[in-house]
């Protein structure tokens, strides 16, 4: 199979045989690394049917529409990301490689890539699909299942999403949206890896993004039930039935979180040293104030929880807005700093605030 496109900084190589078909050479984007495969045409392999979005069209060209493909050549998923590009645009939050992430998660990372690199990151398939920044939803802070324009935090966090749930013990989209509202993530009706991590943080379970006995047990405890040995609460009718009733009640109680303090007060075991250095102890005290697990490491979901608390956009990235809002929260004016963790005066004032 020939490829007439103009190569970028990666020289074209030989096509690679895979399951009886020939894969076109891969190329890298000229601006630092989004990688794509041109027109795989995987005849005879399992693939998704191209849907109604431009990303489905790009994926159909790149991978035959197979969002979980791994050819063994270092390019993964429906849109054929390299590991380095996947990580550079935040994909590691969802999975180690793109093929292990959901379709929605892959598209979110693609939208971030598109924002920075443009359609040229997919030089052949992007052109074939008619990909543009506009129709691809280019967004530096794109999230799975959320439009590029985003939704308001208030709308995202209303629980339940739209009226009382049917208490039928079936974990469907309506129950999912209501649960998402309770944990404070975008209510798209599809429980992503990052959503599960947010749930696990709220109920005090290990944050691995996978639902298992611990997560189910902790969730049952949060809604007032004892353990019943169920592995996945979504398939346990009794748990879902009680969860629906809990969510219909407005889910007024904060879920218990082992190792966490009450959200309003930090719990470090001792007063912080006011030295202006943002270390593990200061991190734990801040996590206690925010109301997340105090593990001394500020994760993306922790940052989102902080942003929600101080009224900043919950994009999981510390920047000028988050720093400014946090400084206002602790009684300081804006000083133009981008990341509060690197600002001596901000950290010093924060430590005094947390000690108080």
């Amino acid at each position: 199979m020939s490829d007439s496109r103009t190569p970028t900084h990666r020289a074209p190589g030989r096509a690679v045989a895979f399951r009886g078909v020939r894969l076109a050479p891969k190329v890298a984007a000229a601006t630092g690394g989004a990688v794509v495969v041109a027109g795989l045409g995987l005849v005879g392999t399992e693939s998704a049917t191209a849907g109604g979005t431009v990303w489905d069209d790009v994926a159909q060209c790149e991978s035959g529409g197979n969002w979980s493909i791994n050819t063994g050549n270092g390019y993964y998923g429906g849109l054929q990301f390299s590991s380095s590009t996947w990580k550079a645009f935040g994909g590691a939050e969802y999975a180690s490689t793109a093929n292990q992430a959901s379709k929605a998660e892959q598209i979110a990372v693609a939208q971030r890539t598109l924002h920075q690199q443009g359609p040229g990151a997919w030089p052949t398939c992007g052109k074939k699909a008619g990909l543009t920044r506009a129709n691809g939803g280019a967004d530096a802070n794109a999230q799975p299942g959320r439009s590029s324009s985003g939704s308001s935090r208030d709308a995202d966090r209303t629980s339940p999403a739209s009226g009382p749930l049917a208490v039928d013990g079936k974990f469907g989209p309506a129950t999912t949206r209501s649960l998402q509202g309770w944990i404070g993530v975008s209510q798209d009706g599809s429980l992503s890896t990052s959503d599960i991590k947010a749930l696990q943080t709220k109920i005090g379970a290990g944050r691995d993004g996978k639902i298992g006995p611990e997560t189910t047990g902790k969730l049952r405890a949060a809604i007032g039930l004892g353990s019943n040995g169920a592995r996945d609460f979504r398939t346990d009718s009794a748990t879902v039935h009680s969860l629906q009733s809990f969510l219909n009640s407005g889910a007024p109680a904060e879920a218990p979180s082992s190792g966490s303090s009450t959200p309003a007060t930090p719990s470090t075991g001792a007063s912080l040293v006011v030295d202006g250095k943002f270390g593990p102890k200061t991190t734990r005290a801040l996590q206690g104030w925010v109301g997340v697990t105090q593990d001394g490491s500020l994760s993306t979901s922790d940052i989102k929880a902080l942003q929600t608390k101080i009224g900043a956009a919950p994009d999981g990235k510390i920047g000028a807005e988050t720093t400014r809002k946090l400084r206002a929260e602790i009684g300081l004016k804006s000083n133009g700093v981008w990341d509060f963790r690197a600002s001596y005066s901000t950290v010093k004032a924060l430590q005094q605030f947390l000690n108080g």
Side-chain angles (χ1 to χ4, degrees):
M1 178 171 60
S2 64
D3 188 349
S4 60
R5 69 180 181 279
T6 302
T8 58
H9 68 263
R10 177 186 171 104
R14 295 177 61 190
V16 180
F18 178 69
R19 294 187 185 175
V21 299
R22 290 174 62 78
L23 308 187
K26 299 178 174 63
V27 296
T31 55
V35 280
V36 293
V37 174
L40 293 185
L42 296 177
V43 179
T45 64
E46 293 183 7
S47 64
T49 302
T53 73
V54 69
W55 290 115
D56 287 305
D57 293 338
V58 174
Q60 189 67 28
C61 172
E62 294 287 355
S63 63
N66 188 338
W67 294 88
S68 60
I69 194 171
N70 175 8
T71 67
N73 290 340
Y75 301 86
Y76 306 90
L79 301 171
Q80 293 291 280
F81 282 98
S82 71
S83 294
S84 60
T85 300
W86 178 252
K87 292 175 182 176
F89 289 94
E93 177 185 352
Y94 312 122
S96 58
T97 55
N99 62 301
Q100 299 175 18
S102 69
K103 174 181 174 181
E105 290 163 348
Q106 291 180 52
I107 290 175
V109 177
Q111 289 172 322
R112 300 171 199 169
T113 306
L114 181 65
H115 178 268
Q116 180 169 319
Q117 298 186 348
W122 295 268
T124 297
C125 290
K127 184 176 181 180
K128 181 178 179 181
L131 176 65
T132 65
R133 278 188 166 90
N135 66 20
D139 183 353
N141 300 311
Q143 298 296 322
R146 190 175 74 186
S147 66
S148 60
S149 61
S151 54
S152 71
R153 290 193 302 278
D154 291 340
D156 279 352
R157 285 158 177 77
T158 303
S159 178
S162 57
L165 296 170
V167 182
D168 57 7
K170 298 177 182 178
F171 193 81
T175 301
T176 302
R177 284 191 292 270
S178 190
L179 177 63
Q180 287 172 320
W182 179 55
I183 62 179
V185 298
S186 180
Q187 294 173 268
D188 60 9
S190 177
L191 208 59
S192 68
T193 300
S194 59
D195 292 346
I196 295 170
K197 287 181 179 179
L199 169 64
Q200 289 168 328
T201 296
K202 187 172 184 72
I203 62 180
R207 295 181 64 257
D208 60 3
K210 301 176 182 178
I211 295 175
E214 182 194 13
T215 300
T216 295
K218 293 281 189 178
L219 178 62
R220 285 179 61 87
I223 62 178
L225 303 176
S227 177
N228 68 347
R231 179 174 184 81
D232 188 328
F233 68 85
R234 296 171 297 184
T235 59
D236 183 61
S237 178
T239 303
V240 174
H241 190 280
S242 296
L243 176 62
Q244 289 166 331
S245 296
F246 174 78
L247 294 170
N248 277 341
S249 73
E254 278 293 324
S257 178
S258 61
S260 298
S261 63
T262 303
T265 57
S267 175
T268 61
S271 295
L272 294 171
V273 176
V274 182
D275 58 5
K277 298 177 182 178
F278 194 82
K281 288 186 178 180
T282 302
T283 302
R284 284 193 290 271
L286 178 62
Q287 288 172 319
W289 179 63
V290 172
V292 297
T293 301
Q294 295 173 267
D295 59 9
S297 177
L298 208 58
S299 68
T300 300
S301 61
D302 293 345
I303 295 170
K304 288 181 179 179
L306 169 64
Q307 290 167 326
T308 298
K309 187 174 183 72
I310 62 179
D315 61 4
K317 300 176 182 179
I318 294 175
E321 183 197 13
T322 299
T323 295
R324 183 178 69 254
K325 294 277 190 177
L326 179 61
R327 284 180 62 87
E329 187 74 20
I330 61 179
L332 301 177
K333 294 181 180 179
S334 176
N335 65 352
V337 170
W338 181 264
D339 188 330
F340 69 84
R341 296 170 296 184
S343 169
Y344 173 83
S345 61
T346 304
V347 174
K348 187 174 181 179
L350 176 63
Q351 291 167 329
Q352 292 172 331
F353 173 80
L354 294 171
N355 278 341

